[in-house]
Amino acid sequence: MAGKPTLLAALALAASVVPGTADEPLRIGIAGMSHGHVAGLLAAARDRADLQIVGVWETDARLFDRLADAYGLDASLRHDELGEMLDACKPEAVSGMGSIRSHRKVVEACAPRRIPVLLEKPLAFSIEDADRCVELSEQYGTPILTNYETSWYASVHEAERIARSGEYGDIIRMVFRHGHRGPWEIGCSSEFLRWLTDPKENGGGAVIDFGCYGAVIATRLMDGQKPESVQAVRRQIKTGIYPDVDDDATILLAYPHTTAVIEASWNWPHDLKEMDIYLSGASLHAGKWDALSLRKSGEAEATPLAPPPVRPFGDEWSYLKAVAHDGAEIEPLSSLPVNHTVVWILDQARKVPMK
């Protein structure tokens, strides 16, 4: 491995991308279709003029056919081999929508071809795979990005800005709560469930699926530094549904002057993506999208805030297009340095035996 990249080095990777024409759609290839989030990309490409799906690598023909029927894809787009798809279809960027285990293979195929990659969170299955992604990105100057839904929340960006401003003192504690009732309970497809609940494809259960959200925001707020220690509790509450992976996890990160508590679960009573940042002079509560409030020290109630929209990009596809076409700077939440640390944290947590 060439070494963990600095933030500046990662941000500079985009400069190597050949600029495109702003009004041309992004020619995007899809690597795998078993991730449930692929529906968002397929809908966006169907409804937007700035995206064009030019090829798909998916070995499950029945899965492709079902999604092709639903979103109007031509049968000729599907390829059984990833390299064949990349060489025949020449996408300008690739979206990784398969298992976490498959991410390394996608990067190994795309990086030498200098095709930017956007992977659904987290970056990699293991720290060894993350190291390989860093090595290839540095060697070929290819941007390797990681996407999180929360990266497009105005509440997260404004909370980060306020916390970093120093107006209310230093960060003392961070608490993250992410998850839902469970992938089976909310109706995830059988293809998605198959690898999401397989420790050999996902690395773990809720600890990976939702632990990554808190890990990425905590790492960003801590300027990319690794925690001094990682502790975790992994539990199997619904063993009849999820016999092989944890469905409830708590991760404790200790920094020199800050503590982060990550609560990741497939047992929440409803969908949950929220965080609390406790500063020495105030606390911030950030919920989904633009839900944000501030409670100052000594005040009995929190004050709702109206965070500005996320700029300059409001979604992952506009962002990916800007990186691939125009060499836009890499946003820290999607960057390799931050997400390499995320994988390191998850790697520590998932090694804790389940209870």
Side-chain angles (χ1 to χ4, degrees):
M1 175 184 169
K4 183 179 176 182
T6 65
L7 180 59
L8 289 177
L11 296 181
L13 285 174
S16 66
V17 179
V18 178
T21 303
D23 58 357
E24 293 178 350
L26 175 66
R27 293 172 50 85
I28 190 166
I30 300 177
M33 301 183 84
S34 59
H35 198 302
H37 292 179
V38 74
L41 170 55
L42 297 176
R46 179 193 61 197
D47 300 336
R48 293 167 50 164
D50 59 343
L51 298 175
Q52 180 187 3
I53 296 173
V54 296
V56 176
W57 169 55
E58 177 52 64
T59 59
D60 186 339
R62 288 185 299 177
L63 170 60
F64 174 85
D65 290 343
R66 188 174 75 240
L67 292 171
D69 288 343
Y71 294 95
L73 302 180
D74 192 278
S76 65
L77 293 175
R78 189 183 75 84
H79 294 258
D80 287 314
E81 299 294 334
L82 177 56
E84 175 190 279
M85 185 273 284
L86 297 176
D87 293 337
C89 302
K90 302 190 183 308
E92 297 170 306
V94 163
S95 169
M97 290 285 185
S99 74
I100 309 306
R101 171 73 78 177
S102 73
H103 286 185
R104 176 171 175 165
K105 178 175 182 176
V106 174
V107 172
E108 287 178 334
C110 292
R113 293 172 169 86
R114 293 180 169 80
I115 303 172
V117 179
L118 180 66
L119 300 165
E120 284 301 292
K121 53 80 183 172
L123 166 66
F125 176 85
S126 65
I127 193 61
E128 292 79 14
D129 284 3
D131 289 346
R132 180 63 173 154
C133 291
V134 169
E135 180 183 37
L136 289 165
S137 181
E138 290 183 335
Q139 180 179 354
Y140 295 103
T142 304
I144 308 298
L145 315 172
T146 305
N147 183 56
Y148 299 79
E149 178 184 299
T150 49
S151 296
W152 312 107
Y153 286 6
S155 60
V156 169
H157 285 263
E158 182 65 1
E160 177 193 333
R161 186 197 67 77
I162 294 171
R164 285 176 166 277
S165 72
E167 181 179 356
Y168 299 103
D170 297 328
I171 300 174
I172 305 302
R173 177 176 288 263
M174 300 172 281
V175 180
F176 303 94
R177 292 174 292 275
H178 292 88
H180 48 48
R181 293 184 294 119
W184 181 83
E185 289 84 348
I186 67 170
C188 288
S189 71
S190 59
E191 295 87 3
F192 194 11
L193 278 171
R194 188 175 300 124
W195 66 258
L196 191 60
T197 59
D198 182 350
K200 294 181 179 179
E201 293 296 326
N202 193 47
V207 69
I208 303 297
D209 190 27
F210 285 110
C212 60
Y213 286 99
V216 72
I217 300 172
T219 301
R220 172 57 180 155
L221 288 170
M222 293 292 100
D223 293 315
Q225 68 176 302
K226 288 182 177 179
E228 295 176 323
S229 66
V230 178
Q231 301 177 61
V233 176
R234 297 170 58 213
R235 302 183 62 197
Q236 287 182 299
I237 295 174
K238 295 179 286 196
T239 55
I241 304 175
Y242 309 113
D244 301 317
V245 293
D246 61 273
D247 54 61
D248 189 85
T250 302
I251 306 171
L252 182 66
L253 308 180
Y255 298 92
H257 305 289
T258 308
T259 301
V261 181
I262 299 172
E263 301 173 4
S265 184
W266 290 343
N267 291 283
W268 298 113
H270 46 68
D271 179 58
L272 197 60
K273 289 187 176 74
E274 63 182 32
M275 68 177 183
D276 292 291
I277 301 174
Y278 297 92
L279 309 161
S280 51
S283 64
L284 289 157
H285 176 78
K288 294 189 71 174
W289 300 108
D290 60 354
L292 181 64
S293 61
L294 171 72
R295 182 179 175 183
K296 298 178 184 178
S297 179
E299 291 186 346
E301 296 182 357
T303 301
L305 303 178
V310 178
R311 302 293 187 199
F313 314 111
D315 63 81
E316 61 268 42
W317 310 119
S318 299
Y319 170 53
L320 182 59
K321 182 175 186 287
V323 171
H325 275 191
D326 307 317
E329 288 191 351
I330 304 300
E331 295 287 331
L333 286 172
S334 70
S335 70
L336 266 179
V338 168
N339 283 284
H340 184 278
T341 298
V342 169
V343 176
W344 180 84
I345 290 170
L346 297 178
D347 224 34
Q348 303 298 305
R350 74 188 178 115
K351 291 175 181 176
V352 176
M354 291 184 291
K355 293 184 177 180

